[in-house]
């Protein structure tokens, strides 16, 4: 049985937010019965609870929801990621079009791109955009080597060739081919060229806590921190599923598995399908407005860094990646979930990054962290990897009343919100609850087919030699 480590490194996102929901319990004791148990209080769990509320509020049919979290609320990957709402606007087009054809690749890309207006509209409707530090704008992929420039430019050109320069999404992307202009735009020292496309940024932890606060105010959500689910049963003859926890059992009609890397803990069928990997990040003090755009640096298919800057009063740069360092010891991060460990040399790498990589940096060298290393200045987080590169979203075959959304391969921000909007009505249909599709989700695309959970997909992927793939990734 694998559960999240109970003493993870401290993340700036969590420590600086100072949320009153951090260790929240709605009631001293667990409810003995509910309609929906959501296991996991991160982005997937919170978005699912939110959409269940939005789908049923008009009808007055909101079911009882109990959300279980094994440690503090949103203390997992969502409270530890890079904060970039950054779709794959073009960069994954070559492999996706090779697998699914030009239209299939565009379907995947448009689903990600739809998250930008979806976030904007949701946050405006709820009045929380400023609270969660939301910002739309342009981002860039900065090529730091000829190899990277060839790969990024070729991806852009192939998508333009297949869909036309005025085609969906590609018309909103552009190249900066002059190195001097690219360096000026990206602020990345030594940039050879760049691809620019629409993007966004957000404080993920604050966003999740805001969604949970909204649903808690309806009275339909019971939120329980520090309460791991240790076993879930099948539905019995009376339609009940038993969820076991150290604090007692809950019987429920449905279970939403929203634990990402830890889904195999309760669903052994996913043992060979979803794997962990450590990400490392740091918070750097910087002058207000110093970083103009979110962005990423690329050297090859593995080595990259990514960053954003928070607005006042924080003004902190959040930077992640450090693969220049990590590639020398891949066992330290590939298939690791040791969030309690800071990989040696990472904080020093990040503190040297502004002076070595940002044009015009006049701050300290080494740079000052936003907090001390042990209290949020530098941290690790567990990302999940799906064995076929796509998340599993939907009803679990042969497990009535069980649903899952997990395996986002380190790219959940522009995938989860609308995936959860797909899951919510499936849960409500299982409960035979009347609902009305909210205007917030009506304009957006359906779930991409590669995300769907099917019996065939699971059975095929269970036969893949995951250990061989791991050894290959380490050698690379």
């Amino acid at each position: 049985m694998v559960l999240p480590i109970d003493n993870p490194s401290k993340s700036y996102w969590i420590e600086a937010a100072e949320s009153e929901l951090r260790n929240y319990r709605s009631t001293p004791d667990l409810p003995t019965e509910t309609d929906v148990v959501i296991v996991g209080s991160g982005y997937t769990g919170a978005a699912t609870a939110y959409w269940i509320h939005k789908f049923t509020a008009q009808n007055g049919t909101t079911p009882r929801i109990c959300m279980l979290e094994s440690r503090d609320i949103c203390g997992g990957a969502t409270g530890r990621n890079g904060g970039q709402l950054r779709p794959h606007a073009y960069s994954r087009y070559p492999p996706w079009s090779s697998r699914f054809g030009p239209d299939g690749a565009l379907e995947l890309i448009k689903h990600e791109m739809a998250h930008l207006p979806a976030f904007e509209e949701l946050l405006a409707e709820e009045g929380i955009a400023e609270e969660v530090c939301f910002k739309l704008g342009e981002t860039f992929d900065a090529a730091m080597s000829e190899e990277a420039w060839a790969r990024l430019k070729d991806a852009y050109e192939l998508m333009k060739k297949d869909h036309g320069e005025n085609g969906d999404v590609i018309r909103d992307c552009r190249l900066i081919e002059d190195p001097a202009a690219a360096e000026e735009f990206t602020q990345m020292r030594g940039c050879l060229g760049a691809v620019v496309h629409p993007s966004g940024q957000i404080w993920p932890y604050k966003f999740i806590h805001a969604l949970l606060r909204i649903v808690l105010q309806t009275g339909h959500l019971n939120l329980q921190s520090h309460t791991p689910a240790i076993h879930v049963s099948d539905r019995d003859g009376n339609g009940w599923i038993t969820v076991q926890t150290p604090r007692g059992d809950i019987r429920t009609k449905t279970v939403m598995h929203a634990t990402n890397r830890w889904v195999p803990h309760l669903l052994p069928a996913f043992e060979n399908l979803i794997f962990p990997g450590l990400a490392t990040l740091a918070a750097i003090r910087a002058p207000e407005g110093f970083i103009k755009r979110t962005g990423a640096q690329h050297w090859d298919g593995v080595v990259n860094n990514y960053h954003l800057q928070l607005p006042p009063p924080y003004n902190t740069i959040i930077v992640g990646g450090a693969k220049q360092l990590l590639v020398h010891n891949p066992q330290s991060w590939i298939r690791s979930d040791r969030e309690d460990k800071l990989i040696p040399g990472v904080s020093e790498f990040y503190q040297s990054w502004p002076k070595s990589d940002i044009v015009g940096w006049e701050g300290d060298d080494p740079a000052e962290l936003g907090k001390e290393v042990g209290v949020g200045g530098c941290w690790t987080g567990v990302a999940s990897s799906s064995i076929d590169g796509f998340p599993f979203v939907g009803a679990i075959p042969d497990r009535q009343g069980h649903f899952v959304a997990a395996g986002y391969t380190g790219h959940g921000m522009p995938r989860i919100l609308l995936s959860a909007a797909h899951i919510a009505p499936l849960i409500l249909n299982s409960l035979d609850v009347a609902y009305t599709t909210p205007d917030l989700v009506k304009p957006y695309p359906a779930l991409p087919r590669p995300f769907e959970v099917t019996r065939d997909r699971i059975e095929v992927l269970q036969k893949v030699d995951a250990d061989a793939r791991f050894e290959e990734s380490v050698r690379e």
Side-chain angles (χ1 to χ4, degrees), residues 455-466:
R455 185 179 296 104
D456 286 347
R457 182 184 175 200
I458 291 173
E459 289 177 353
V460 167
L461 293 175
Q462 285 173 333
K463 297 173 184 176
V464 174
D465 190 338

Side-chain angles (χ1 to χ4, degrees), residues 261-272:
R261 173 270 179 270
W262 288 281
V263 156
H265 154 61
L266 296 175
L267 299 173
F270 289 82
E271 189 70 42
N272 195 55

